[in-house]
Amino acid sequence: MSRGGTAPGFPGIAALEAQEARLTFSRFTHEDAWALGSALVELARERQAPVAIDIRRGGQQLFHCALAGSSADNDAWIERKRRVVERYGESSLLVGSRFRAKGTTFEESSRLDPDRYAAHGGSFPVRVDGAGVIGTVTVSGLPQAEDHAMVVEALERILAN
């Protein structure tokens, strides 16, 4: 375990918090979801990553794509990671890192059903200025730190425009 309670190769808690503070939309429309999803598909194709991608606003799925090599298991992971973001209002990797920083795991200490919730990297809150968390963007199919990093990279690209 590295400093900050994260596993080796994971960003520290402060870095994860900074990502979330920085990667905020002024608004989030259907077109924004399409642009973000398309950026994720482009990144995944460049890397030949076998991922599934999901973007939601509230209860509505605005974007979903399953690339070659992904499976229904990835969709199940998306649901479990997304539920963590919806419940905690923070990325699934940050939630898991907070538990590790306390010397435990999400599975041991959250008291939530692990068949329904997974604090593994790859789901990130869609946050809008003045409104807070209004949705999620999730990737599944790579090791969790890579799922998270792909989402962050796509958000950085979209928000830079």
Side-chain angles (χ1 to χ4, degrees):
M1 189 105 29
S2 66
R3 290 182 65 222
T6 59
F10 289 15
I13 289 173
L16 293 169
E17 290 172 340
Q19 286 174 347
E20 291 191 24
R22 179 171 50 83
L23 299 173
T24 301
F25 289 84
S26 59
R27 52 138 176 70
F28 192 74
T29 65
H30 287 78
E31 291 77 20
D32 295 319
W34 180 261
L36 178 56
S38 298
L40 281 162
V41 169
E42 183 179 322
L43 284 171
R45 284 184 171 154
E46 286 170 6
R47 297 168 189 173
Q48 298 180 335
V51 298
I53 300 160
D54 183 81
I55 301 173
R56 294 180 185 247
R57 184 179 64 197
Q60 184 180 22
Q61 184 179 55
L62 300 181
F63 187 96
H64 186 87
C65 180
L67 296 173
S70 66
S71 71
D73 284 345
N74 298 117
D75 291 330
W77 275 98
I78 282 171
E79 292 300 313
R80 293 170 59 217
K81 293 191 280 188
R82 177 184 55 80
R83 284 186 188 109
V84 168
V85 176
E86 291 171 347
R87 184 171 187 111
Y88 290 85
E90 297 177 321
S91 74
S92 53
L93 186 59
L94 177 54
V95 172
S97 294
R98 289 189 192 285
F99 278 90
R100 285 187 294 278
K102 294 176 186 173
T104 187
T105 67
F106 178 82
E107 295 78 11
E108 292 170 349
S109 298
S110 70
R111 305 180 92 189
L112 295 172
D113 181 353
D115 289 335
R116 294 187 44 81
Y117 294 87
H120 292 256
S123 192
F124 201 92
V126 173
R127 188 173 274 112
V128 173
D129 292 330
V133 176
I134 57 92
T136 57
V137 53
T138 310
V139 169
S140 176
L142 302 171
Q144 63 173 316
E146 292 176 38
D147 281 347
H148 178 87
M150 185 177 285
V151 171
V152 168
E153 185 175 345
L155 284 167
E156 288 172 339
R157 284 187 183 185
I158 293 302
L159 289 167
N161 293 330

